Amino acid sequence: MKICIYGAGAIGGYLGVQLARAGADVSLIARGAHLAAMREHGLTLLAGGETHTVHPRCTDDPAELGVQDFIIITLKAHSITGVIERMQPLLGPHTRIVTAVNGIPYWYFFKHGGQYENSTLESIDPGGRQWREIGAERAIGCIVYPATEIEAPGLIRHVYGNNFPLGEPSGEVTADVQRLADLFVAAGLKAPVLDRIRDEIWLKLWGNVCFNPISALTHATLDVICTDPSTRALSRAIMVETQAIAETFGVKFRVDVERRIEGARKVGAHKTSMLQDLERGRPMEIDPLVTVVQEMGRLTGIATPALDSVLAMVTQRARIAGLYDGVSTPSDPRALAVA
């Protein structure tokens, strides 16, 4: 089974080590000092007091690898459109694309049913290019729950978690998704195959849509955001708006708002990915985590005043810092006024 991990950073590197140790034919696409270190010394994972080093194929040129059975995309979601052309040599008639990314994936409305079937979302897939050129029909959903970090080039530290729920857009348990899940399990990972993968996508996004932008604006960690009365109330308001939108699309939440906030509080003094990106001078995932929810609200006619205001402010914050190149343009004049 040939597997290419496209974007072998912290999560991609963690998956690469675990899958290689399980015997998969793994190739990693990376760049810069991280790629150079992996080529020279292999890729090392620090996890649970143990150290594991593997030596998979590593490159910055996908054309060197040929057609793959699975491509696991672990890039930041806003980076995917920029690599569509480079990805083409990896695609064969039976290649599956595994979207191990945060937020709403490009294939969301594929086999969705209802009036929005086969719709594309401009905030995450401008012009529908991912849908057309990568192919919605290739997609397998994947939610990323582990926390990992690049401690040094070529060195990944696993912090916690090993759960990667998988699912077909149709909800079927196909041979492809079962084969991938079996490999993940053999690699020491949890990979339940879900018949309602979109529910799980929204459950994770439910926290990201509020905690991430609030943290980028306040520099607060999760425990502070969820404890301070003002930021907790703002988080709750955004989550209530988000839940109303998701439920319009048939999504079912298995926990309520307060339980979801409490779960985040218990994580402790954790910096969200958006705050980490801001501090490191990297583009922030505003569109796939926040703008897309606003766009889906516009589709359904559901007002999102709390989200609109926070989105306007965090977008402006990112632009001032030179860390935003997305498509977000708040469409509510009140949001623009707040910015």
Side-chain angles (χ1 to χ4, degrees):
M1 189 186 309
K2 297 184 70 174
I3 296 179
C4 173
I5 297 177
Y6 208 116
I11 287 294
Y14 171 56
L15 279 172
V17 172
Q18 296 297 84
L19 293 175
R21 292 178 63 219
D25 183 1
V26 177
S27 300
L28 307 179
I29 296 177
R31 61 185 181 181
H34 189 50
L35 173 59
M38 290 193 293
R39 281 173 164 168
E40 185 172 356
H41 303 295
L43 177 59
T44 298
L45 173 66
L46 306 176
E50 298 182 353
T51 301
H52 304 284
T53 300
V54 298
H55 297 269
R57 283 183 300 277
C58 302
T59 183
D60 57 1
D61 183 4
E64 296 177 359
L65 303 177
V67 171
Q68 304 289 304
D69 295 306
F70 294 94
I71 302 170
I72 303 176
I73 299 178
T74 51
L75 296 167
K76 296 285 190 180
H78 55 255
S79 302
I80 298 174
T81 298
V83 301
I84 289 175
E85 292 87 353
R86 292 174 59 79
M87 197 178 292
Q88 296 306 308
L90 305 172
L91 300 176
H94 304 294
T95 302
R96 300 301 304 272
I97 300 289
V98 184
T99 51
V101 298
N102 283 327
I104 299 292
Y106 75 93
W107 53 263
Y108 187 85
F109 287 116
F110 180 69
K111 295 194 174 180
H112 180 275
Q115 64 177 312
Y116 301 108
E117 174 86 17
N118 294 333
S119 297
T120 59
L121 293 161
E122 191 66 18
S123 55
I124 57 169
D125 186 16
R129 289 192 59 206
Q130 293 177 49
W131 184 290
R132 294 192 313 274
E133 298 175 41
I134 299 176
E137 72 283 353
R138 298 182 187 275
I140 292 175
C142 177
I143 294 91
V144 176
Y145 281 116
T148 58
E149 57 189 33
I150 299 178
E151 187 157 294
L155 180 63
I156 306 296
R157 180 176 293 278
H158 174 257
V159 181
Y160 64 81
N162 66 344
N163 193 20
F164 293 87
L166 303 169
E168 294 276 6
S170 65
E172 301 169 273
V173 181
T174 63
D176 283 344
V177 75
Q178 190 61 61
R179 185 164 56 133
L180 184 65
D182 290 345
L183 177 60
F184 274 40
V185 171
L189 308 171
K190 295 179 181 178
V193 177
L194 307 182
D195 60 359
R196 293 179 60 89
I197 190 67
R198 293 176 183 84
D199 290 359
E200 200 72 16
I201 288 171
W202 280 96
L203 184 62
K204 184 175 183 186
L205 178 60
W206 209 14
N208 287 339
V209 69
C210 57
F211 302 138
N212 272 266
I214 290 172
S215 71
L217 291 168
T218 64
H219 290 250
T221 52
L222 281 180
D223 55 338
V224 175
I225 293 171
C226 297
T227 303
D228 178 85
S230 59
T231 51
R232 185 182 178 109
L234 179 57
S235 298
R236 189 183 193 285
I238 294 173
M239 292 175 77
V240 168
E241 293 171 0
T242 299
Q243 182 174 4
I245 294 165
E247 289 179 344
T248 300
F249 295 114
V251 171
K252 297 179 180 179
F253 289 83
R254 52 184 168 85
V255 299
D256 62 22
V257 171
E258 291 301 323
R259 184 175 171 187
R260 181 67 177 85
I261 294 174
E262 276 299 293
R265 183 188 63 79
K266 291 176 182 178
V267 172
H270 173 71
K271 294 181 179 181
T272 71
S273 60
M274 195 176 287
L275 176 55
Q276 292 180 49
D277 286 341
L278 175 63
E279 292 180 342
R280 295 169 185 173
R282 302 185 305 205
M284 297 185 285
E285 290 182 287
I286 295 172
D287 288 336
L289 299 185
V290 190
T291 314
V292 68
V293 178
Q294 183 191 66
E295 182 179 358
M296 295 174 89
R298 300 298 182 264
L299 282 176
T300 60
I302 294 174
T304 54
L307 183 146
D308 293 344
S309 296
V310 169
L311 174 58
M313 289 186 287
V314 78
T315 301
Q316 184 70 359
R317 176 72 181 87
R319 284 178 173 146
I320 290 170
L323 302 178
Y324 182 74
D325 57 0
V327 301
S328 174
T329 302
S331 55
D332 187 332
R334 292 169 297 177
L336 291 173
V338 172

